[in-house]
Amino acid sequence: MKNILYLFLAALFFSCNSKEKQPQISDNKMPEEIRTDLYGSWVGDFVVAERDTTQPEKERYSNKINIVIKKITETEVTGQSVVAGNNRPLSGTMKRTGNTISFTLKEPGDDKNDGVFTFEIQNDTLLKGTWTANNPKKEVRKRKFELTKKQFKYDPTVMLPDNNMYVDYENPKEEEVTYEEENEGEETKDTTKAETYFENVYRMASESILKINSSTQKLKESDIKNLKKIDLEILRNTIFARHGFSFKTKTVRQFFDDVEWYIPISTNVDDQLTSVEKENIALLKRFEKYAEDNYDSFGR
């Protein structure tokens, strides 16, 4: 009788342990990703569409924006926006109506510059839409954009295009100008009349920025000792532009936002810099402290 009882208890114990060791099957499945062909960077101009006209206009040109689509499912879309030194996560939804795919993506809302992106992707080639600021009192309340899909690839050999004028329009200096005009007529004793007025003059880079590659060429002091301050600044920042750095300062953005190969992808590229680039950055910064600029007048 005892043997039968022991066998019964052993069988019961083995049965309980077996049940505990069985794996639990979960009904939760990861949402299936769709339209992965739309993933990646969509790049173009971020144009002012609506602004507070009671405030002085601060923006003289359109910033370049990169909207990165990272993941799309039936219920959620995630990505990021990179523009003007800001790198913000995006989340929202996608909606399909016939052949039209529309998105509503929101920045987190914990920054004064955050807002909401609404856009459509047309023919899988053009991303077109608007951004609306969360804060209705911002100087720029709404922007529009038409972006095309581009793939970023670091290329240390790319140079600034030689068909642009690299003028620092963001930091003009006011200069007094005296204009002398000859008077006509025999009755006047003075033959000239002087008028004084003020005009804005600007810094302009030299052709050296189109010839010196600060990413591939290890610079020597003799290479840069006669350069203007603006030349040194542009040569240094071209290194960061090649790595896709998103510039916060307008003074720097004005030189790169119109450049075709420039794609802002990050607000920190320090770990991407090569040893040659790091050495050149240090040398250029040292010379910038003592370099000077000449100013001239240029049309906008």
Side-chain angles (χ1 to χ4, degrees):
M1 188 70 178
K2 287 183 178 180
N3 290 337
I4 294 174
L5 180 60
Y6 288 150
L7 289 172
F8 173 78
L9 292 174
L12 181 63
F13 179 78
F14 178 80
S15 175
C16 291
N17 282 347
S18 298
K19 290 180 180 179
E20 290 177 1
K21 292 179 181 180
Q22 290 179 355
Q24 298 295 315
I25 299 175
S26 174
D27 292 332
N28 296 327
K29 295 181 180 179
M30 293 295 292
E32 181 182 355
E33 294 187 40
I34 57 176
R35 294 311 309 266
T36 57
D37 57 304
L38 301 179
Y39 290 11
S41 294
W42 295 80
V43 184
D45 292 334
F46 203 35
V47 183
V48 174
E50 184 180 321
R51 61 179 297 274
D52 183 357
T53 56
T54 63
Q55 298 185 38
E57 187 174 357
K58 298 178 182 178
E59 190 168 308
R60 297 177 176 85
Y61 65 96
S62 299
N63 299 325
K64 179 174 282 189
I65 187 171
N66 179 6
I67 293 180
V68 185
I69 298 178
K70 295 183 174 181
K71 185 177 180 180
I72 302 175
T73 69
E74 291 288 354
T75 58
E76 185 182 23
V77 178
T78 58
Q80 69 186 97
S81 62
V82 186
V83 59
N86 293 309
N87 188 340
R88 305 296 290 160
L90 300 176
S91 61
T93 57
M94 180 187 76
K95 182 180 178 181
R96 287 178 288 192
T97 306
N99 294 326
T100 303
I101 304 174
S102 59
F103 295 79
T104 299
L105 301 182
K106 298 180 180 180
E107 293 171 313
D110 55 359
D111 185 276
K112 64 180 181 179
N113 296 313
D114 281 355
V116 179
F117 290 88
T118 57
F119 56 85
E120 296 179 353
I121 297 183
Q122 302 173 355
N123 300 321
D124 297 345
T125 59
L126 180 67
L127 188 154
K128 184 177 180 179
T130 60
W131 171 88
T132 304
N134 291 341
N135 180 5
K137 296 183 178 180
K138 275 185 63 64
E139 179 206 345
V140 177
R141 299 162 179 167
K142 182 173 286 188
R143 295 179 183 269
K144 59 183 179 179
F145 47 86
E146 292 187 9
L147 314 180
T148 55
K149 200 162 184 282
K150 293 185 177 182
Q151 183 178 0
F152 172 80
K153 182 180 179 181
Y154 167 65
D155 184 354
T157 66
V158 291
M159 301 290 287
L160 293 175
D162 58 9
N163 58 346
N164 289 356
M165 285 183 63
Y166 296 93
V167 180
D168 179 12
Y169 288 116
E170 287 297 320
N171 299 286
K173 186 169 72 171
E174 199 171 56
E175 187 176 81
E176 184 176 337
V177 178
T178 301
Y179 173 72
E180 293 186 352
E181 181 181 1
E182 291 187 2
N183 292 324
E184 296 182 358
E186 297 179 356
E187 296 181 358
T188 58
K189 295 182 179 180
D190 296 329
T191 58
T192 60
K193 180 181 180 182
E195 293 185 2
T196 300
Y197 61 95
F198 293 89
E199 71 172 2
N200 286 335
V201 291
Y202 306 87
R203 306 187 302 158
M204 181 178 181
S206 72
E207 290 186 356
S208 297
I209 64 170
L210 307 175
K211 300 175 181 178
I212 297 175
N213 188 318
S214 47
S215 287
T216 61
Q217 173 186 348
K218 187 174 180 180
L219 301 178
K220 303 186 296 292
E221 291 188 4
S222 58
D223 296 323
I224 63 174
K225 66 179 182 180
N226 295 321
L227 297 184
K228 295 182 287 187
K229 186 180 180 70
I230 188 173
D231 295 336
L232 300 169
E233 292 171 351
I234 292 176
L235 286 173
R236 176 171 56 85
N237 284 299
T238 303
I239 294 173
F240 292 96
R242 292 185 180 107
H243 285 279
F245 181 75
S246 181
F247 299 100
K248 185 174 285 290
T249 308
K250 289 182 181 179
T251 301
V252 182
R253 289 205 307 271
Q254 67 183 326
F255 300 124
F256 299 103
D257 278 351
D258 287 336
V259 176
E260 180 65 24
W261 55 256
Y262 172 61
I263 300 176
I265 61 167
S266 176
T267 53
N268 188 342
V269 297
D270 290 348
D271 60 344
Q272 306 296 320
L273 301 175
T274 68
S275 57
V276 170
E277 289 173 330
K278 290 177 182 178
E279 291 179 17
N280 286 343
I281 288 170
L283 180 64
L284 290 163
K285 288 183 71 174
R286 181 157 59 87
F287 271 71
E288 283 176 43
K289 292 181 180 179
Y290 307 103
E292 297 181 355
D293 280 309
N294 59 298
Y295 288 75
D296 206 342
S297 58
F298 301 96
R300 293 305 302 266

